[in-house]
């Protein structure tokens, strides 16, 4: 699959203190939506929007937000998410997971005044559909 990617967009990103009585749970939602191009857009190509909405719950804080990216799929029509294979979904979503990993490391390093929290979403070539979260580690322990 040949892709031309637009810049990733951080729509919002939050680091929030977690109160002890907060019963929030970790949630990650990965979505794809075919978009329409203008009348000059090549008919054999597709535009695909990708978005990850997330809430990552840790013992003392919560990270949440939304990141997105527009992708141009060259020489292929995609009309619905089901037109993509698991491997293609992983390929399209990977840059968005990397942005979340990087932001989380940097923000938690500053907020906690110690080495940041290292997220590891796709290091074991896990399928986004099957196990989106992968491993979430904080100083070597699973959360």
């Amino acid at each position: 699959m040949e892709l031309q990617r637009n810049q990733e967009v951080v729509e919002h990103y939050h680091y929030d203190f977690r109160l002890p009585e907060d019963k929030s749970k970790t949630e990650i939602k990965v979505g794809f939506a075919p978009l329409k191009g203008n009348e000059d857009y090549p008919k054999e190509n597709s535009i695909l929007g990708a978005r990850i909405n997330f809430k990552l719950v840790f013992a003392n804080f919560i990270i949440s937000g939304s990141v997105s990216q527009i992708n141009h799929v060259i020489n292929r029509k995609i009309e619905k998410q089901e037109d993509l294979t698991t491997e293609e979904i992983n390929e399209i979503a990977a840059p968005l997971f990397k942005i979340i990993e990087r932001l989380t490391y940097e923000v938690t390093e500053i907020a906690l005044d110690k080495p940041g929290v290292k997220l590891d979403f796709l290091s074991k070539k896990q399928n986004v559909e099957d196990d989106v979260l992968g491993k979430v580690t904080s100083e070597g322990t699973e959360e």
Side-chain angles (χ1 to χ4, degrees):
M1 175 172 64
E2 183 182 349
L3 289 174
Q4 291 179 354
R5 299 176 187 270
N6 289 13
Q7 178 67 39
E8 301 94 340
V9 175
V10 178
E11 296 175 11
H12 58 94
Y13 183 92
H14 300 277
Y15 173 99
D16 297 303
F17 178 77
R18 181 176 181 204
L19 298 171
E21 62 272 8
D22 187 336
K23 302 295 183 204
S24 295
K25 299 211 183 287
T26 292
E27 296 178 52
I28 299 178
K29 296 177 183 169
V30 180
F32 301 92
L35 305 172
K36 295 197 183 285
N38 62 27
E39 58 193 42
D40 297 335
Y41 194 79
K43 302 289 185 221
E44 66 276 8
N45 297 348
S46 299
I47 304 173
L48 188 65
R51 173 177 283 134
I52 299 176
N53 294 308
F54 59 94
K55 180 190 276 189
L56 307 174
V57 179
F58 295 85
N60 297 317
F61 60 90
I62 298 172
I63 300 291
S64 62
S66 180
V67 294
S68 63
Q69 184 177 44
I70 303 296
N71 299 275
H72 301 269
V73 183
I74 308 304
N75 294 321
R76 181 161 165 211
K77 292 303 291 176
I78 297 174
E79 297 178 356
K80 57 191 178 307
Q81 184 170 329
E82 292 75 22
D83 292 341
L84 298 166
T85 67
T86 300
E87 292 78 22
E88 291 168 335
I89 288 171
N90 290 337
E91 180 182 355
I92 293 168
L96 298 177
F97 280 110
K98 287 181 183 186
I99 290 287
I100 297 168
E101 289 174 358
R102 184 173 172 204
L103 279 166
T104 299
Y105 183 83
E106 298 293 335
V107 169
T108 57
E109 182 175 47
I110 293 165
L112 301 173
D113 196 25
K114 59 184 180 182
V117 173
K118 293 181 183 178
L119 301 178
D120 189 12
F121 289 107
L122 301 171
S123 69
K124 295 192 168 130
K125 300 294 182 195
Q126 296 169 329
N127 295 328
V128 171
E129 291 179 330
D130 299 334
D131 187 2
V132 157
L133 185 53
K135 287 188 173 183
V136 176
T137 59
S138 174
E139 300 178 26
T141 60
E142 288 193 2
E143 292 286 321

